[in-house]
Amino acid sequence: MNLSFQLNGRVIGVDCEPADTLAEVLRNTLNLNGTKVSCEVQVCGACTVLVDGAPVSACTYLAYEARGKCVTTIEGLERSDGTLHPLQQAFIGEFAFQCGYCTPGMIMSAKALLDENPKPTRDEIIHHMDGNICRCTGYVPIVAAIQRAAEVIAKESNK
């Protein structure tokens, strides 16, 4: 089947099988390997991408469900001038990763949160990130990175 959807700001067409997941199409057909696949049962959050701004588990989201929608992956967060998104920069600045496998999904989930709630409390961040598992960091630097990014984004929007 042929699908058309917006991917990271560009309209694309792609051929896939009816049972292909969005993660399979992103990784295997489009070579966007930032989206990770781990549990394949919608538990860990490593495969999180945004579909029309909402976080979805790409490992269980069928690719055909994305037709006509706007899909954003970790690769789509880089700004047009080549700089990193404040969330990406904050994860680096706060050392909010170790192995890095969960990081793209964490960042995409955090982006959905900050788009919806630009000034979340620590408890709101923790609650929102509950669907993303990290086996390395202990979560403290992840929460700090999201808080830092929220501050940077707020300053940028006040300019």
Side-chain angles (χ1 to χ4, degrees):
M1 86 171 45
N2 189 281
L3 310 177
S4 177
F5 59 94
Q6 189 178 62
L7 176 63
N8 297 330
R10 288 185 14 240
V11 175
I12 64 151
V14 64
D15 287 317
C16 69
E17 296 299 317
D20 284 350
T21 65
L22 184 55
E24 290 169 330
V25 169
L26 292 171
R27 292 179 58 78
N28 303 337
T29 305
L30 300 172
N31 295 315
L32 294 175
N33 296 313
T35 301
K36 305 302 183 206
V37 177
S38 181
C39 71
E40 298 188 64
V41 291
Q42 203 171 352
V43 173
C44 72
C47 66
T48 303
V49 299
L50 304 182
V51 177
D52 288 344
V56 302
S57 295
C59 72
T60 58
Y61 191 91
L62 293 175
Y64 80 82
E65 293 179 275
R67 66 192 184 285
K69 296 184 179 177
C70 177
V71 176
T72 306
T73 68
I74 191 74
E75 291 90 350
L77 292 189
E78 180 182 23
R79 294 182 168 177
S80 59
D81 66 0
T83 59
L84 295 177
H85 185 279
L87 273 164
Q88 293 168 306
Q89 195 60 55
F91 267 67
I92 292 168
E94 294 292 334
F95 304 102
F97 57 89
Q98 285 181 16
C99 81
Y101 199 81
C102 70
T103 304
M106 290 279 184
I107 290 172
M108 298 310 294
S109 289
K111 180 166 186 341
L113 169 64
L114 296 182
D115 287 348
E116 183 180 315
N117 179 1
K119 296 180 182 180
T121 65
R122 184 175 188 285
D123 286 342
E124 289 170 330
I125 292 169
I126 291 168
H127 176 73
H128 182 84
M129 298 303 292
D130 189 43
N132 292 79
I133 296 172
C134 177
R135 292 176 174 89
C136 300
T137 65
Y139 300 100
V140 172
I142 292 169
V143 173
I146 296 167
Q147 289 173 313
R148 176 190 264 193
E151 293 168 5
V152 169
I153 292 168
K155 285 179 187 172
E156 288 178 353
S157 65
N158 289 330
K159 286 183 181 180

